[in-house]
Amino acid sequence: MTGLTKRGLLAGAAGIGAAAIIPSRRAAAQDMPAHERELYAAAQREGQLTWYTGQMQAEPSEAIGRAFTERYPGVRVNVVRSTSQVAFQRLSQDMRARVRQCDVFSSVDQSHLTFLKREGHLLEYRPRNAEGMLKVVRDLGDPDGLFQVTYLALYMLGRRTDRVSEAEAPKSWQDIIDPKWKDQLSVGHPGFSGAIGSWAVMMRKMYGVDYLRALERNKPQIGRSAADPVTVLNAGERTIGVGMPSATSLLSISRGNPLALIYPTDGTLMVPAPSGALKNAPNPNAAKLFMEYFTGPIYSQTVRQYFGESLRPEVPAPDGAKALDQFAAMTPTAEEVEKGIPEIREIWRDIFGV
Amino acid sequence: MPDSGTLSARGPAAVAGSRRVTWLGRLRNIEPVMLLWIALIGVLLFLVAFPLAKLFVVSFEDQRTGAFTLANYAFAYGRERYINALVNSLLLGLASATLAVILAVPMAWAVSRTDMPGKGLTWATVLGAFILPPYLSAIGWILLAGPNSGFVNRFWRDLTGFEAPLFNIFSFEGMTLVIALNSFPLVFIFVKAALDLVSSEMEDAANILGAGTWTAMRRISIPLVMPAILGGFILVFLEAISLFGVPAILGIPARLNVVTTQLWQFFEWPVRVEVAAAYAMPLLMITAGLIAVQKLLLARKGFVSQTGKGGERRLIRLGRWRWALFAWCAGVGLLAVAMPLFVLAQASFAKAWGRGFALDNLTLANYRLLIFEHEMAMQSVWNTVWFSATAATIAVLLALLIAYIVNRRLVPFGDALAFVAMAPFVIPGIVMAIGFYAAYAAPPLALYGTAALIILAFAARFLPIAYANSAAAIRAVHPEMEEAARILGSGRLHAVWRITTPLVRKALLGGWLIVFIVASRELSAAIFLVGPRTRTMAVLLYDMSEAGNFEVLAAFGGILLVITMAFVGIGMKLLGRDFMLRRG
Amino acid sequence: MPRLILNGLTKIYGRLTVVDAIDLTLEEGEFVSLLGPSGCGKTTTLRMIAGFIPPDAGTIEIDGKVLSAPGSVLPPERRGMSMIFQSYAIWPNMTVAENVGFGLELRKLPRAEVRSRVGAILEVVKMSHLADRYPSELSGGQQQRVALARAIVVEPAVLLLDEPLSNLDANLREEMRFEIRRLHDEFRITTVYVTHDQAEAMATSDRIAVMNAGRIEQVDAPHLLYTRPRTRFVAGFIGRTNLIEARLVQGEIVFDTVALAASRLATPPQGGDGAVLLSVRPQSMMLRETRPEDANGHAVLPAEVTRRVYLGETWDYLIRPRDSAIELRVSAPPTQVHEVGQAVWLTLDPQQVVIVD
């Protein structure tokens, strides 16, 4: 039904325009490895793919889509960005209604992908480019190669530099339940954000459910996305962000906002965020090509500009971020996430009321 | 009547006899358009009755087996939190509706009955509040009255030196305020229309017996329009309990769970539409209960509709008091329209809205991003326009034909048809959406993620607006207009096409525009039905609000408002200033 | 050969028989009114003739062809009739000429002929100068003329009029009454005219069918309805009357202290002895201050004035015959003044006494 949309017409017009610069396109195709060239040819016939993602914010997600189309002209990416839970909810609704919409699915919640794999919803395809990724990244992916870690999300504490000095700032997750931070905190919601779900699972594991109760007594302002605290801090509504995503925060800092990141001593939450192509993808070749793109260098170069971690050795870490081996990290296992998040959502709602 | 006995004995026998004889003749002379009417009724059932029936049935079905079960109800009401959400919704509905009545009734009285100055401004306020979507208003109020960062609270602190904020928008009171400020036009339109019918003689009669202006208003005018006030109250209540955007945006930080956000949770993986259906049932019962209460309260007294005719109408001279009323109207306008719009506009042109007004904070980047770079923004604009336009067209055509066959009594049970067509008016939009999901998302129709599902849901949801509009238009066309054409040799459809349609064209255009405008901003029904490629502006705005990028969000809201205003402008040009606010 | 025949026509809504087995025959070119109080079924009958309402029993025939029977109704557009409505139903989106030409266009006449026939009929109804006006620019009477022109121009087999003058003011109504009759005299279209106004029916019709409670009580020429009413209803509905319960005893009609020879009535009673109902018009009685010498076959009885009302053109007296329980309404010219309580002599012409059912 979208065949006659304005955008379709625009794309058609762009295609005509592109015909004038065919030599450069051919050059781009020539420097592709053979396996990519093959997929590219098949993907061009499909012309587009739909990517549900909850990994990066809207702006970088759009940039990732654009970079893909620049690299592989003629294959358009429909970027459907939302929080991971909402993205998964949409995918669930698709499946329940037996509608094929999504080609590639990306979430910050690893359990989404393990679930999809177990239920046989993932395309059996191991991207060749994955061999060139950092070992730590490679190891976090699916041993069978059905999904890959395409984003390493780091969640930590943040502060308003003009309101809270480095000295008085909390140093750890444990510090923020101190009553002196009452009405100062801002946090996302595990019902909307997979990262906050993972974080809450880890807090329960390390400090018990009482931790969340103590947090509740400090009356944090609850948003939806994990990135909400960035906005809330920028606005001056609160002074301490809990579970702030490093990439979004660094981006915001680079624009002159008075924020600083705090790597908690009891462990920065490192969430390997996986992506996989779907078995019933309406555009299977484009989906495979997108998996190659995810694991190749151009993707890492793109996300780096938005303060996403580089997945490959040849691309340096983003500006202002600590190298991966210079801070304490914690990562929940897939089972912890899959089992823990539904539980923690209920617990959270019972404690916080929403 | 001495021979009535023989009459009734003869009548039916004769009827039966001749019927047998002319059975074939009957087929020969049947009007072919009868089939069209039957098809129409089918469409109406498909759009309204079936989704609701399906919702009811599904609420008793086991998710896997489809067997009868009460487990969905047990689950839906098995936890205190779920019950609390219901209670919260009820309280929110009552509080918002009460506040809306308090805001609107003095305004309606002032505009209809008095010589208050600045009536044009009051109209603009009502229209502005009507077209400003509640979720945008909620964002505007976050910018205004966020406890620490809102402009109002910062100003308050600077002014007084107090630590505590003046008003915290993340609260029950905050939600009530935002909802009431957005929905008071419903009360205003109803009450003003009713007050316009009250003859001045009604007040004169009270005056001559010794009642002053205020007593006459309190004891005569306002009680006379009580049905309109109650009607508006009920509408605002229904609107409030079925809103999704405001509770999601303000309620979560306020720690307030309501029915709609709880329904949303039931749509989390694994999708429990059966539980959602069971959970939505009380909303329907509350609706039915409210309407019963309204009937009961109004049962015996005479009201304005019986006094509509006769008597001149004069404006009441208020003297200095007119400025007090003007201040009230202006205050509402400030809170409902001017202040939220101002901060949204400021944010949409700001690099960082928190920095306030400064030249180096001005940018067009937010608009540029949306219009030229954002992958989804323009697609959603286009979706919004064509979904809304198609839905409006379907709703108006269907409503016209249904109103026609009901008004002209072409089928038996016409009143039942009218009831079905008007039913979505009092069914919370979110319940309609879940009904549509339950009925048509899955195979055999498999409409989930298609534009058709949203268009059909919009058409059904706003059918009552179109129906009220069409019914009024059709009523205004005397049936003899068509009969005159028919007796001269024109067939039923030809007469409708040549005579009736041209006569109701303007009214239909008005109905179309209103449906288009309300559909283009609808969130509650859309949020459950959109697929990735069928997101509307309202849904994208909601998605953006998750990420908290208020500058881009405000800019997108600005685009939505510009589009809406363009259509409102067309309507005003073609149909007159108050086409949106007339009561059909 | 009769043009239009209604045969046992019946319409039932729920438990209410609105039109009750009526029979009516119209000759070619005849103008017949259906006259009756509101709710008597006259409009329903007209709309059944037009084909807007199917009958529950009975038939409607035109030129020997059955148009309506239960379960089989030829739609209005195929009946070749035309109709004038209470609301005029002039289409506000078309000019006068377009309104009038509509029926001709539907008959697929060449445009030139449509134009000339529209022009001609507008001439007849004196509306030529307003041909290009829109209805909202016309007065009520002018709209009525457009409606007439629109109905007549198609030369219908039957012309139906449904209370066409009820929305006009009194003067205009009188004018249009004669206009309608003039047009009928000119075109001789078989016409059924529905009205509740007896003056209107009398002025226009060849015959009037008086309807009551779904039945036709009497069909007759206008003057006969007045002088020879056949039922109590007709007697009371057409003009005013005194209804007197009497007995027929051996050739004499007896009531109160009066006895009239039955043979002196214009239509002597046919049946045997028993109760009869008399209709005596107020105009058929006279009041005298003294006993008239020559009774001239009229009944003469002493009486008393009990009440009086002056109506401008006549005096309206309420008279009680001596030693009687009944009161009679008597009309007298303005010059004939009697005081209340005065003794008078009442004379009654048996020729003008009618026995009604």
Side-chain angles (χ1 to χ4, degrees):
Chain A
M1 271 203 149
T2 50
L4 266 178
T5 62
K6 248 183 204 165
R7 188 163 285 277
L9 293 176
L10 285 177
I16 294 164
I21 49 164
I22 272 176
S24 67
R25 262 179 86 181
R26 194 175 297 146
Q30 269 166 358
D31 71 19
M32 278 178 207
H35 67 278
E36 280 187 35
R37 234 187 349 255
E38 252 170 60
L39 276 175
Y40 175 40
Q44 266 179 315
R45 286 191 289 277
E46 292 161 356
Q48 61 165 344
L49 73 127
T50 298
W51 174 38
Y52 288 14
T53 177
Q55 286 183 353
M56 292 193 82
Q57 292 297 304
E59 208 181 327
S61 297
E62 299 284 351
I64 291 165
R66 278 198 303 277
F68 177 83
T69 307
E70 268 166 40
R71 169 73 170 161
Y72 308 105
V75 188
R76 199 161 49 84
V77 186
N78 305 318
V79 181
V80 182
R81 147 75 209 175
S82 58
T83 57
S84 291
Q85 294 303 325
V86 170
F88 191 56
Q89 192 169 332
R90 291 220 168 104
L91 188 67
S92 309
Q93 284 179 330
D94 288 356
M95 287 176 173
R96 176 143 189 196
R98 280 172 242 164
V99 172
R100 295 166 61 198
Q101 309 237 36
C102 175
D103 293 290
V104 178
F105 178 76
S106 298
S107 171
V108 292
D109 187 339
Q110 193 155 8
S111 71
H112 291 162
L113 274 295
T114 53
F115 173 84
L116 290 174
K117 181 189 172 190
R118 196 172 61 233
E119 298 284 306
H121 291 312
L122 290 183
L123 189 67
E124 302 234 3
Y125 181 72
R126 184 194 290 272
R128 292 264 203 89
N129 291 348
E131 290 153 23
M133 291 203 293
L134 283 165
K135 183 175 183 311
V136 54
V137 180
R138 220 164 50 225
D139 290 350
L140 285 167
D142 177 39
D144 301 327
L146 269 62
F147 58 83
Q148 302 294 331
V149 168
T150 54
Y151 182 70
L152 270 172
L154 304 180
Y155 297 89
M156 50 193 80
L157 290 163
R159 66 184 166 95
R160 274 286 289 221
T161 50
D162 53 347
R163 307 270 274 278
V164 180
S165 72
E166 191 168 358
E168 61 181 343
K171 305 287 182 291
S172 66
W173 302 118
Q174 192 73 62
D175 286 352
I176 59 168
I177 59 175
D178 188 307
K180 79 171 171 181
W181 300 114
K182 184 159 193 288
D183 290 333
Q184 298 294 308
L185 308 173
S186 171
V187 67
H189 191 297
F192 292 84
S193 161
I196 298 302
S198 296
W199 171 76
V201 166
M202 290 308 283
M203 290 302 106
R204 181 177 64 155
K205 181 176 160 196
M206 287 156 65
Y207 305 120
V209 173
D210 281 343
Y211 178 85
L212 294 177
R213 294 207 182 91
L215 183 68
E216 197 278 332
R217 282 193 290 278
N218 269 351
K219 302 290 171 203
Q221 175 166 329
I222 299 170
R224 282 168 281 162
S225 153
D228 254 3
V230 179
T231 318
V232 172
L233 261 60
N234 281 343
E237 193 59 65
R238 298 289 168 113
T239 56
I240 301 291
V242 179
M244 284 175 38
S246 66
T248 313
S249 306
L250 287 170
L251 177 70
S252 185
I253 292 166
S254 75
R255 287 180 180 174
N257 284 302
L259 301 182
L261 284 177
I262 304 165
Y263 287 80
T265 51
D266 39 0
T268 294
L269 178 70
M270 175 146 70
V271 179
S275 303
L278 292 170
K279 187 178 225 162
N280 64 356
N283 308 294
N285 292 300
K288 286 178 190 167
L289 185 61
F290 205 71
M291 291 308 293
E292 294 289 356
Y293 165 73
F294 264 148
T295 49
I298 292 175
Y299 171 76
S300 282
Q301 278 157 19
T302 306
V303 297
R304 185 186 173 280
Q305 292 158 28
Y306 294 91
F307 304 95
E309 305 297 324
S310 162
L311 308 178
R312 294 182 65 96
E314 67 265 40
V315 182
D319 298 332
K322 287 189 183 178
L324 284 173
D325 53 358
Q326 284 179 10
F327 55 87
M330 56 181 185
T331 299
T333 65
E335 301 93 280
E336 279 172 342
V337 170
E338 192 173 348
K339 229 171 81 34
I341 285 189
E343 285 171 19
I344 209 76
R345 274 206 311 247
E346 286 302 303
I347 292 168
W348 179 282
R349 284 181 173 136
D350 284 338
I351 293 175
F352 290 88
V354 288
Chain B
M1 291 264 284
D3 38 2
S4 69
T6 49
L7 273 189
S8 49
R10 191 175 59 220
V15 171
S18 42
R19 231 176 231 157
R20 262 197 302 281
V21 175
T22 56
W23 186 80
L24 270 173
R26 177 181 203 134
L27 274 185
R28 196 172 53 243
N29 276 337
I30 197 168
E31 287 185 63
V33 288
M34 199 67 200
L35 298 174
L36 178 65
W37 307 147
I38 293 167
L40 268 178
I41 294 166
V43 172
L44 189 62
L45 294 180
F46 175 85
L47 276 184
V48 180
F50 186 69
L52 289 176
K54 180 76 179 175
L55 189 72
F56 183 72
V57 169
V58 154
S59 76
F60 290 106
E61 276 180 1
D62 185 85
Q63 174 160 12
R64 280 174 191 284
T65 63
F68 176 85
T69 176
L70 289 174
N72 299 321
Y73 285 88
F75 187 89
Y77 304 107
R79 303 189 62 155
E80 200 190 343
R81 209 172 71 228
Y82 302 166
I83 305 288
N84 284 344
L86 264 174
V87 173
N88 285 342
S89 269
L90 283 184
L91 293 177
L92 186 64
L94 290 174
S96 313
T98 307
L99 184 58
V101 165
I102 291 170
L103 293 177
V105 171
M107 295 176 79
W109 184 73
V111 169
S112 173
R113 310 295 292 164
T114 76
D115 63 344
M116 181 191 74
K119 286 186 185 173
L121 206 68
T122 308
W123 273 114
T125 292
V126 173
L127 184 65
F130 189 66
I131 60 178
L132 190 64
Y135 43 87
L136 260 192
S137 187
I139 302 282
W141 272 95
I142 291 178
L143 306 185
L144 282 169
N148 296 314
S149 62
F151 289 118
V152 170
N153 288 323
R154 284 199 307 214
F155 183 69
W156 171 255
R157 275 197 197 89
D158 293 347
L159 198 71
T160 63
F162 290 161
E163 263 304 301
L166 177 67
F167 189 72
N168 179 3
I169 198 66
F170 298 116
S171 64
F172 183 82
E173 294 77 17
M175 288 163 72
T176 304
L177 179 74
V178 169
I179 295 172
L181 285 175
N182 270 278
S183 48
F184 81 87
L186 292 171
V187 184
F188 178 92
I189 293 165
F190 270 53
V191 175
K192 176 175 179 295
L195 279 171
D196 282 349
L197 291 176
V198 177
S199 151
S200 287
E201 288 170 2
M202 291 284 170
E203 285 150 0
D204 295 347
N207 293 150
I208 208 86
L209 292 174
T213 301
W214 299 110
T215 314
M217 176 195 75
R218 202 166 44 79
R219 297 282 304 277
I220 306 295
S221 316
I222 298 301
L224 272 175
V225 297
M226 212 54 200
I229 295 177
L230 266 179
F233 181 93
I234 289 178
L235 277 190
V236 175
F237 177 90
L238 292 172
E239 169 87 356
I241 60 172
S242 64
L243 273 183
F244 177 74
V246 173
I249 291 166
L250 298 179
I252 289 171
R255 310 272 186 87
L256 272 169
N257 197 22
V258 296
V259 167
T260 46
T261 44
Q262 184 57 48
L263 282 170
W264 179 244
Q265 288 175 24
F266 291 135
F267 266 66
E268 280 170 1
W269 177 263
V271 178
R272 286 166 292 183
V273 66
E274 295 79 9
V275 174
Y279 194 67
M281 286 299 145
L283 293 190
L284 286 183
M285 285 188 294
I286 290 163
T287 305
L290 273 178
I291 290 163
V293 166
Q294 185 196 26
K295 283 229 151 70
L296 214 66
L297 283 177
L298 306 179
R300 286 185 42 238
K301 287 189 195 165
F303 290 101
V304 75
S305 54
Q306 286 143 28
T307 65
K309 269 205 173 167
E312 47 143 9
R313 297 191 357 90
R314 270 173 290 106
L315 295 182
I316 297 166
R317 299 190 158 278
L318 288 176
R320 270 177 306 167
W321 279 102
R322 66 207 181 107
W323 293 106
L325 266 180
F326 175 73
W328 179 261
C329 295
V332 174
L334 212 58
L335 293 179
V337 183
M339 281 165 54
L341 267 190
F342 178 78
V343 290
L344 284 170
Q346 185 263 340
S348 78
F349 290 108
K351 290 175 183 152
W353 64 269
R355 284 165 55 199
F357 255 132
L359 269 186
D360 66 337
N361 195 25
L362 279 178
T363 178
L364 285 173
N366 303 317
Y367 287 96
R368 196 179 56 228
L369 171 78
L370 287 166
I371 296 172
F372 299 109
E373 291 161 23
H374 199 284
E375 192 62 30
M376 203 52 217
M378 285 301 115
Q379 170 81 51
S380 78
V381 170
W382 174 240
N383 283 349
T384 302
V385 170
W386 88 267
F387 292 177
S388 306
T390 315
T393 308
I394 293 173
V396 166
L397 281 181
L398 187 63
L400 174 69
L401 291 169
I402 298 283
Y404 180 79
I405 63 178
V406 170
N407 184 267
R408 299 292 194 259
R409 307 189 175 286
L410 296 181
V411 291
F413 316 118
D415 290 343
L417 276 190
F419 177 81
V420 174
M422 285 305 285
F425 200 46
V426 293
I427 293 166
I430 205 156
V431 177
M432 283 288 284
I434 295 171
F436 261 77
Y437 184 90
Y440 302 128
L445 284 184
L447 291 183
Y448 175 72
T450 65
L453 185 64
I454 298 168
I455 290 168
L456 290 177
F458 279 6
R461 170 125 163 78
F462 302 117
L463 184 63
I465 298 177
Y467 183 79
N469 198 284
S470 303
I474 290 281
R475 264 200 303 277
V477 177
H478 203 293
E480 290 180 352
M481 288 285 178
E482 269 164 46
E483 288 169 359
R486 292 199 69 194
I487 197 79
L488 288 174
S490 130
R492 165 84 65 186
L493 285 182
H494 183 260
V496 171
W497 178 248
R498 277 291 301 274
I499 305 296
T500 312
T501 310
L503 293 179
V504 299
R505 200 171 46 203
K506 267 200 165 183
L508 292 190
L509 181 62
W512 189 94
L513 279 168
I514 295 175
V515 172
F516 178 90
I517 289 164
V518 295
S520 69
R521 33 166 275 190
E522 171 71 7
L523 175 65
S524 308
I527 191 85
F528 287 94
L529 300 174
V530 293
R533 302 297 301 158
T534 56
R535 281 192 288 179
T536 62
M537 294 185 79
V539 174
L540 193 62
L541 270 167
Y542 171 76
D543 283 355
M544 284 177 173
S545 80
E546 273 187 359
N549 188 345
F550 289 143
E551 294 85 359
V552 173
L553 194 160
F556 200 46
I559 294 174
L560 174 63
L561 285 179
V562 166
I563 292 171
T564 310
M565 289 305 296
F567 278 89
V568 171
I570 292 170
M572 285 181 166
K573 184 113 186 143
L574 294 178
L575 306 167
R577 188 184 69 165
D578 62 339
F579 84 99
M580 297 270 297
L581 306 176
R582 247 177 259 141
R583 210 184 138 190
Chain C
M1 180 182 166
R3 160 129 298 184
L4 178 68
I5 302 174
L6 312 185
N7 192 357
L9 201 61
T10 301
K11 184 70 202 173
I12 301 165
Y13 287 121
R15 301 170 69 183
L16 193 69
T17 305
V18 182
V19 175
D20 186 7
I22 65 171
D23 300 311
L24 184 66
T25 303
L26 273 80
E27 297 299 325
E28 168 92 54
E30 200 181 10
F31 192 125
V32 172
S33 287
L34 301 178
L35 175 66
S38 64
C40 73
K42 57 189 189 300
T43 295
T44 308
T45 305
L46 191 77
R47 294 173 63 79
M48 280 197 278
I49 298 173
F52 290 119
I53 301 178
D56 290 318
T59 58
I60 299 167
E61 286 174 36
I62 192 163
D63 296 336
K65 243 173 53 194
V66 175
L67 300 189
S68 287
S72 166
V73 174
L74 194 69
E77 59 266 26
R78 282 156 57 190
R79 298 189 162 217
M81 299 181 176
S82 60
M83 184 161 174
I84 294 174
F85 297 88
Q86 203 169 357
S87 66
Y88 321 136
I90 302 297
W91 303 306
N93 53 328
M94 301 182 193
T95 63
V96 167
E98 284 166 355
N99 263 284
V100 175
F102 185 85
L104 297 174
E105 276 171 41
L106 285 174
R107 283 160 178 72
K108 306 263 191 302
L109 264 58
R111 194 175 299 176
E113 195 185 340
V114 170
R115 201 174 314 135
S116 74
R117 283 174 68 172
V118 168
I121 197 74
L122 287 177
E123 197 71 45
V124 170
V125 297
K126 307 180 187 103
M127 289 286 293
S128 302
H129 56 300
L130 299 173
D132 295 324
R133 293 283 184 90
Y134 280 93
S136 57
E137 299 160 338
L138 301 180
S139 71
Q142 289 168 332
Q143 293 194 21
Q144 189 63 72
R145 286 170 188 276
V146 176
L148 275 168
R150 186 175 70 184
I152 291 171
V153 75
V154 297
E155 295 167 2
V158 177
L159 175 63
L160 308 171
L161 299 98
D162 181 12
E163 306 245 10
L165 307 183
S166 60
N167 285 341
L168 297 178
D169 61 46
N171 289 337
L172 212 48
R173 206 174 324 178
E174 198 143 332
E175 183 192 326
M176 288 309 296
R177 227 180 256 171
F178 290 109
E179 185 70 12
I180 287 171
R181 185 66 211 188
R182 179 180 74 81
L183 289 170
H184 183 256
D185 290 340
E186 186 168 345
F187 293 97
R188 286 273 157 226
I189 299 168
T190 311
T191 302
V192 183
Y193 187 107
V194 159
T195 180
H196 65 273
D197 180 337
Q198 44 176 305
E200 217 172 285
M202 301 238 174
T204 54
S205 313
D206 297 326
R207 286 191 298 153
I208 296 173
V210 179
M211 291 187 69
N212 180 38
R215 321 202 62 174
I216 291 183
E217 299 259 343
Q218 184 173 354
V219 189
D220 255 323
H223 67 280
L224 289 177
L225 284 176
Y226 187 80
T227 54
R228 299 275 175 271
R230 269 200 229 124
T231 66
R232 169 201 282 258
F233 177 80
V234 174
F237 188 73
I238 307 286
R240 297 182 311 148
T241 196
N242 295 289
L243 287 169
I244 303 166
E245 287 173 10
R247 295 187 60 76
L248 179 62
V249 183
Q250 291 171 345
E252 283 205 318
I253 291 166
V254 183
F255 67 91
D256 220 36
T257 57
V258 183
L260 297 170
S263 57
R264 302 217 39 189
L265 266 57
T267 26
Q270 306 294 321
D273 291 0
V276 289
L277 190 66
L278 305 181
S279 163
V280 184
R281 298 284 179 195
Q283 289 82 356
S284 67
M285 289 177 281
M286 270 188 292
L287 297 179
R288 303 274 166 80
E289 298 210 346
T290 54
R291 181 178 183 128
E293 323 223 316
D294 176 16
N296 200 10
H298 296 192
V300 179
L301 49 155
E304 187 190 339
V305 177
T306 56
R307 260 164 62 192
R308 66 174 190 182
V309 181
Y310 182 55
L311 295 176
E313 289 181 10
T314 56
W315 277 103
D316 197 36
Y317 290 106
L318 213 53
I319 303 296
R320 189 202 308 275
R322 191 175 297 163
D323 305 324
S324 170
I326 61 171
E327 283 187 323
L328 296 171
R329 203 171 279 271
V330 179
S331 277
T335 51
Q336 205 179 331
V337 184
H338 305 282
E339 302 299 326
V340 171
Q342 193 184 340
V344 290
W345 290 90
L346 180 75
T347 61
L348 173 61
D349 177 7
Q351 282 283 320
Q352 297 193 52
V353 173
V354 181
I355 295 177
V356 297
D357 295 338

